Amino acid sequence: MDILYKKISPKEKRKLYDCMKQLDQETDFMLYSPEERLYQEKQLESFIQNTQENGILLGAIVQNQIVGVISVQTSNLTKIKHTGYLVIGVQKEFQKKGIASKLFEEIFVWARNESIHRLELTVITANFPAIQLYEKLGFYKEGLKKDAIYMKGRYYDEFYMAKLLNEKR
């Protein structure tokens, strides 16, 4: 299977939406519920553009379709511009093929080139495969957000996780 890893451009907004909508339907671990994500062309185009200006948005492309995405949002504020906040998702059919790990590898290279020192994310504590992957990649648990997510009639906790790209202080 040929997989292309590249930045997503505003012209690919429909493909990005289709990927994200599929993720929303396949898992409870993305933030949106399936019915909440609507195709809003201008907003999606703006999101892609803003992410590329203040971070990066990469896609894993198979047969001209986006099957996985990773984004890093950064800030221009001096005190936190060394930090990037991550969101990742890979469609179920393409999981366990190394796509998420490769997306992270690409992000680590990009982050070091951009002088990003800290990458952080949140993950629902019940998402064991994701936690296992993040820990394998060097992320560690920093904290717990109690009752951070409400779905299916109950509350779920989230872990704050982070990875320092240069451990020297």
Side-chain angles (χ1 to χ4, degrees):
M1 170 174 47
D2 290 333
I3 306 169
L4 172 67
Y5 297 91
K6 69 178 201 68
K7 285 184 179 181
I8 295 173
S9 75
K11 291 185 288 187
E12 297 172 293
K13 60 188 167 281
R14 186 66 204 204
K15 290 179 185 180
L16 176 63
Y17 171 81
D18 291 343
C19 175
M20 297 304 292
K21 187 74 171 176
Q22 178 82 25
L23 287 167
D24 296 339
Q25 293 169 353
E26 290 178 346
T27 182
D28 291 329
F29 297 127
M30 299 303 286
L31 187 57
Y32 282 74
S33 295
E35 67 281 356
E36 290 177 319
R37 189 177 304 273
L38 305 174
Y39 184 74
Q40 296 172 322
E41 190 170 355
K42 295 282 188 220
Q43 284 180 315
L44 198 50
E45 199 169 300
S46 178
F47 165 75
I48 294 169
Q49 195 145 353
N50 288 338
T51 303
Q52 299 296 20
E53 290 171 7
N54 296 302
I56 190 167
L57 176 62
L58 295 178
I61 317 296
V62 174
Q63 296 180 346
N64 207 28
Q65 296 301 311
I66 300 172
V67 300
V69 295
I70 191 167
S71 69
V72 179
Q73 295 279 333
T74 60
S75 173
N76 290 324
L77 298 175
T78 303
K79 292 180 181 179
I80 60 171
K81 69 181 181 182
H82 67 283
T83 299
Y85 182 81
L86 283 158
V87 176
I88 185 168
V90 176
Q91 292 175 357
K92 192 168 266 178
E93 178 184 347
F94 297 94
Q95 291 177 0
K96 301 192 187 314
K97 298 182 185 323
I99 292 173
S101 294
K102 179 66 175 163
L103 286 168
F104 271 106
E105 285 174 29
E106 297 283 330
I107 288 302
F108 297 155
V109 170
W110 170 86
R112 286 184 177 102
N113 288 338
E114 295 294 317
S115 299
I116 302 296
H117 172 68
R118 174 188 168 83
L119 293 171
E120 58 188 27
L121 54 83
T122 57
V123 58
I124 294 175
T125 58
N127 191 348
F128 304 116
I131 295 166
Q132 186 176 28
L133 172 65
Y134 302 153
E135 289 178 335
K136 183 179 106 184
L137 292 169
F139 286 81
Y140 53 90
K141 295 171 187 156
E142 286 189 321
L144 182 70
K145 292 172 62 177
K146 297 291 291 174
D147 293 350
I149 301 292
Y150 184 80
M151 66 180 174
K152 296 187 175 181
R154 66 171 278 222
Y155 292 98
Y156 291 83
D157 298 343
E158 279 188 318
F159 287 124
Y160 273 112
M161 296 186 78
K163 176 183 174 86
L164 300 180
L165 296 175
N166 182 358
E167 293 283 347
K168 295 177 188 171
R169 292 186 183 245

